Amino acid sequence: MLQIYNSLTRQLEEFQPLYKDYVTFYNCGPTVYDFFHIGNARNFITFDNIRRYLIYRGYKVKFIQNITDIEDKIIRKAREEKVPVENITEKYTRYFFDYRNKLGILPADYHPRATEMIPFMIEMIKGLIEKGFAYEKGGDVLFSVAAFKDYGKLSGKKIEDLREGDRKKVKKEKEAAQDFVLWKSYKPGEPYWESPWGKGRPGWHLECSAMSMKYLGETIDIHGGGTDLQFPHHENEIAQSEAYTGKPFVKYWLHNGFLIIDGEKMSKSLGNFFMIKDVLDNYSPQTIRFFMCMSHYRKPLEYRKGILTNAQKGFNHIKDCYQFLKEHFSQTESPPFILCDELLHYQYLLPSELENFFKQLFAYKDEYESAMDEDFNFPQAVGALFNITKFLNTHLREDNVSHLPQKAAYGYALLDKLAGILGLGDPDYEKGTSKDDKTMDDIMEILLSTRQQLRKNKEFALADSIRDRLEKSGITIKDFPDKTTWSR
RNA sequence: GGCGGCGUGGCCAAGUGGUAAGGCAGGGGUUUGCAAAACCCUUAAUCAGCGGUUCGAAUCCGCUCGCCGCCUCCA
């Protein structure tokens, strides 16, 4: 049974989507005015892991993530660089997709842009005014928080408790300090759209409601985001959506914890952030994803010097195990994904002589699933992965193992499948087909066989120097009694 | 001021009623021409503090201390 911690009810709940095995899933996406940092990456990766696990559990998942391409910070940046707004948003949208891909995060089923939703957002605003939830003042349209009785149900805040005195400036147009803007009136030099209230642009909160409703329906199963979005962003989404439709907006609210640096939240405004593009210069995507699995997704995760090196070593265990297993594959073995299907869905196809082996393997698979079933406990799931690698490493190295190639292949298939949910699948899996890789393989084959000859002749000094020099070029080679392997 | 969260071995981190997973680091070993990898053994926490509930608590309740987040754009 899959249990999810729901921020709305503040408790663990059994996951039951609205429509049996179909899940509608929305995650708040980036505002495209800069590269994204490793803190943003935590959000993207967390919800990618969750999405992949739901798919693994047999759900059909429709996943939508917005691109905010009209917003104050974008306008400011465009002004600073003296370029049109579109230059900024196109550039950083492209970078967002690029680095998302590099991190192995699945694309959403659709990434709507805020600017393409404007007609629908205007529809919503009209509806909200008609129903008495919003009012127009001097070209702005504001949502009246007082009109929505459930306001505060997600964040647990009471309107009267909020410190309005501390708010930088309460706009004069507002009837109440907590009212938030649905439509912003035009100021000279800003992009604008025509509306019944004059030229202007939509308020930030509205786009998520609009996209969620348009692409996933009036009530959706899961809405994710960083914990800082809980208030006011998600609170406002609930208010405007439920006021508009009269129906519940989201069944399960999920919020990921922050990345902490030097004891503080990593954020753009504090200036203590690391861009993912820079981190990727020194660490692999799998290392970064392993790091994200080192803590429960709802808890804070400390990013500090050396922590990624630690993560790298952790992932190396899994990576080395892939390599070890692949060395024992028989050429006639089916591809891993077919073997994995047999393992998970067509168990009657499995060779009966491997029964004990599968029994062990399934015990660890169950351990992994139990961990993930309890609110996606990544650290515990990784523990189960280590149990699998240890089992395979030990068992398959015993003397006279029966059916070694088959066991290696099935073991590989399962490990790659389960680890892959967390973005820790075999990094080599997709490589090896391009021409460059083929050439590289040939060169290494020549080099290593020559070196093998040197070792046979006990010319160790030269053989070792080849190894050292390759290491400096980022290629690690390992000598075994019967063979030598290499990896990048 | 209001609301919420956190405090587990040297470090990271699971565990939320029956006497502490796992990873990294450290020590020893098997293996190896050496190195790496792998495996085995091992060092190390009474779970922030105090009090309470219970046959029994890291795990429930209360208080104290410390840290953090939200209340303003922010994953």
Side-chain angles (χ1 to χ4, degrees):
Chain A
M1 179 176 77
L2 175 58
Q3 289 188 296
I4 295 186
Y5 181 87
N6 189 350
S7 303
L8 187 62
T9 57
R10 293 163 203 278
Q11 58 188 14
L12 225 48
E13 293 177 8
E14 182 180 351
F15 181 62
Q16 285 180 318
L18 270 60
Y19 301 101
K20 209 164 179 276
D21 55 1
Y22 183 75
V23 177
T24 45
F25 196 156
Y26 186 94
N27 188 29
C28 285
T31 299
V32 282
Y33 72 107
D34 205 346
F35 294 101
F36 65 92
H37 59 66
I38 189 162
N40 303 118
R42 186 180 192 195
N43 169 259
F44 305 149
I45 290 172
T46 294
F47 287 100
D48 188 53
N49 289 171
I50 290 174
R51 177 187 179 191
R52 285 169 183 263
Y53 186 65
L54 291 173
I55 293 169
Y56 169 82
R57 288 295 244 111
Y59 293 105
K60 297 233 179 309
V61 181
K62 185 167 181 191
F63 188 89
I64 298 292
Q65 183 183 37
N66 62 301
I67 303 284
T68 301
D69 62 351
I70 179 67
E71 204 263 347
D72 290 356
K73 290 190 291 284
I74 298 171
I75 294 170
R76 198 185 314 142
K77 182 111 177 181
R79 222 168 249 166
E80 280 166 19
E81 299 192 1
K82 298 186 168 54
V83 295
V85 162
E86 295 74 38
N87 287 28
I88 300 293
T89 56
E90 279 169 22
K91 176 177 163 187
Y92 289 107
T93 300
R94 205 169 59 241
Y95 280 127
F96 167 65
F97 289 146
D98 282 354
Y99 287 101
R100 178 206 59 195
N101 292 343
K102 284 198 173 103
L103 289 173
I105 295 164
L106 294 174
D109 290 298
Y110 186 53
H111 286 282
R113 270 84 164 164
T115 52
E116 68 192 56
M117 298 300 293
I118 287 170
F120 184 58
M121 288 195 262
I122 289 174
E123 278 309 301
M124 284 184 71
I125 297 171
K126 276 196 221 162
L128 287 168
I129 293 175
E130 275 165 27
K131 291 177 182 172
F133 289 105
Y135 56 92
E136 191 251 324
K137 276 260 171 92
D140 289 338
V141 181
L142 292 121
F143 186 93
S144 171
V145 164
F148 184 73
K149 63 174 180 2
D150 279 344
Y151 195 81
K153 69 176 173 183
L154 175 66
S155 56
K157 295 184 190 304
K158 297 190 190 96
I159 295 171
E160 56 272 24
D161 289 340
L162 301 176
R163 296 164 92 167
E164 31 181 289
D166 274 16
R167 294 194 147 215
K168 292 216 169 114
K169 46 184 185 275
V170 176
K171 276 184 142 187
K172 284 197 288 285
E173 301 79 47
K174 290 189 180 183
E175 285 177 0
Q178 309 309 330
D179 291 353
F180 58 91
V181 68
L182 298 169
W183 187 260
K184 283 185 177 184
S185 59
Y186 165 76
K187 293 192 200 70
E190 291 181 349
Y192 65 87
W193 288 260
E194 296 291 347
S195 82
W197 318 282
K199 293 174 184 176
R201 58 192 164 95
W204 172 54
H205 304 297
L206 191 57
E207 65 179 67
C208 290
S209 291
M211 295 169 183
S212 179
M213 207 175 290
K214 188 98 179 169
Y215 294 104
L216 298 173
E218 294 184 334
T219 303
I220 69 168
D221 292 305
I222 301 176
H223 191 122
T227 182
D228 58 341
L229 294 184
Q230 196 164 348
F231 188 90
H233 183 54
H234 290 161
E235 197 69 70
N236 292 352
E237 282 185 45
I238 291 175
Q240 65 206 181
S241 301
E242 298 191 353
Y244 182 71
T245 65
K247 295 175 185 162
F249 177 45
V250 172
K251 194 163 180 194
Y252 303 94
W253 281 95
L254 273 62
H255 293 96
N256 65 279
F258 276 120
L259 215 70
I260 303 295
I261 183 146
D262 294 331
E264 276 185 312
K265 161 187 175 181
M266 177 184 291
S267 77
K268 291 272 178 67
S269 41
L270 292 171
N272 59 349
F273 54 86
F274 291 86
M275 294 302 192
I276 204 74
K277 71 181 173 69
D278 299 326
V279 179
L280 276 168
D281 285 342
N282 296 310
Y283 295 97
S284 70
Q286 288 80 10
T287 293
I288 294 170
R289 296 196 62 144
F290 188 94
F291 167 63
M292 298 301 178
C293 292
M294 283 170 64
S295 169
H296 187 97
Y297 79 91
R298 280 192 284 120
K299 280 197 173 181
L301 175 58
E302 180 116 15
Y303 179 80
R304 58 163 62 139
K305 205 169 167 20
I307 196 97
L308 284 177
T309 305
N310 191 318
Q312 189 173 43
K313 287 175 180 166
F315 178 67
N316 275 348
H317 265 300
I318 297 171
K319 190 175 145 197
D320 287 338
C321 191
Y322 288 134
Q323 179 128 26
F324 164 66
L325 295 170
K326 280 189 291 191
E327 285 157 18
H328 295 284
F329 278 11
S330 142
Q331 295 294 328
T332 58
E333 243 24 273
S334 308
F337 66 91
I338 291 184
L339 296 178
C340 202
D341 273 358
E342 290 176 12
L343 275 171
L344 299 174
H345 305 297
Y346 306 105
Q347 294 182 17
Y348 59 87
L349 289 173
L350 299 178
S352 57
E353 61 272 25
L354 299 188
E355 195 184 330
N356 284 332
F357 173 78
F358 287 131
K359 218 167 161 184
Q360 275 286 354
L361 215 49
F362 285 145
Y364 297 124
K365 176 181 79 78
D366 291 347
E367 191 185 330
Y368 175 92
E369 288 175 1
S370 303
M372 291 294 280
D373 274 353
E374 204 165 304
D375 196 31
F376 314 105
N377 194 327
F378 304 155
Q380 208 164 46
V382 169
L385 293 180
F386 280 125
N387 283 338
I388 294 178
T389 58
K390 183 172 266 190
F391 167 64
L392 294 172
N393 277 328
T394 307
H395 178 59
L396 301 186
R397 272 177 234 254
E398 285 166 5
D399 294 333
N400 304 317
V401 183
S402 67
H403 309 284
L404 181 57
Q406 276 181 297
K407 286 177 178 172
Y410 279 112
Y412 177 89
L414 186 71
L415 182 62
D416 182 60
K417 179 76 175 183
L418 298 182
I421 292 167
L422 303 173
L424 305 175
D426 187 355
D428 286 346
Y429 189 70
E430 283 162 31
K431 106 172 208 234
T433 47
S434 78
K435 201 177 163 197
D436 282 357
D437 288 335
K438 185 86 181 64
T439 308
M440 183 70 182
D441 286 348
D442 291 346
I443 292 170
M444 287 306 294
E445 162 61 27
I446 295 164
L447 191 55
L448 291 184
S449 63
T450 307
R451 183 170 166 280
Q452 201 62 19
Q453 198 57 47
L454 289 173
R455 293 177 63 219
K456 209 172 255 175
N457 299 339
K458 299 207 187 297
E459 297 191 47
F460 295 123
L462 187 52
D464 288 354
S465 108
I466 291 171
R467 183 173 59 200
D468 292 346
R469 289 174 65 184
L470 284 172
E471 183 70 47
K472 277 178 191 148
S473 305
I475 292 169
T476 304
I477 65 178
K478 294 175 190 165
D479 292 319
F480 293 90
D482 52 332
K483 65 166 108 40
T484 296
T485 65
W486 69 277
S487 62
R488 275 192 268 199

